[in-house]
Amino acid sequence: MMAAKKTVPVKKVVIRAAPAMKNMRVWKFGDDIDTDAIIPGRFLTINNPDELAKHAFEGTRDEFAKKVKEGDVIVGGRNFGCGSSREHAPLALMGAGVKVVVARSFARIFFRNSINVGLLPVVCPQADKIADGERITLNIRDGCIEADGKKYPIEPVPVFMQGIIDAGGLVEYAKSLKEVPACTR
């Protein structure tokens, strides 16, 4: 017979709907951008996001690392972040000042790794209609991206996921919680 689980109080985490992120410059990429394109394998010995950022998209879009600005946004096609399971790819983007990646779809492991490190992945089925260099507004509350006078719907961002992003990633989010179930004998 198993002992009953005792629960302990959990610190309440306040999650607010994210405000609109305005005037984000778009860096446009196509379908099947893999993690090796985001950060080449030869830089995997680096774990510092700021250092990784210096090599983001090296060999794919060399001007990115030199010209990306805080608050810029990546817009990709289908299967963004496919390839290996390395967390270095979203870390490199975070180090470059990118806080959001919008794509028609994501590779599952990149999507999860992004959340874990605090990079917001946003699914927009019409992301291919957004042009490189365009300025966009992401409105999570209203469920859309505004670009060139048009609104493109996005998939809803779950409240718990926004909470992880707001905390700066899964580790920081977990630090704000106490153990929930406590096993007793």
Side-chain angles (χ1 to χ4, degrees), residues 7-23:
T7 58
V8 294
V10 176
K11 177 180 175 185
K12 188 172 183 176
V13 177
V14 178
I15 300 171
R16 297 173 191 90
M21 293 176 236
K22 299 180 179 186
N23 203 31

Side-chain angles (χ1 to χ4, degrees), residues 51-81:
E51 289 300 311
L52 285 168
K54 295 175 184 175
H55 305 286
F57 292 108
E58 193 170 298
T60 302
R61 192 163 177 188
D62 291 331
E63 76 276 14
F64 179 84
K66 292 179 180 81
K67 294 184 178 180
V68 67
K69 302 273 189 253
E70 182 81 24
D72 284 358
V73 61
I74 303 290
V75 175
R78 290 184 176 94
N79 202 28
F80 189 89

Side-chain angles (χ1 to χ4, degrees), residues 137-158:
T137 296
L138 170 62
N139 194 324
I140 292 171
R141 196 177 339 203
D142 292 344
C144 69
I145 291 173
E146 296 174 38
D148 196 29
K150 298 181 181 99
K151 288 187 178 186
Y152 301 105
I154 62 171
E155 290 185 5
V157 175

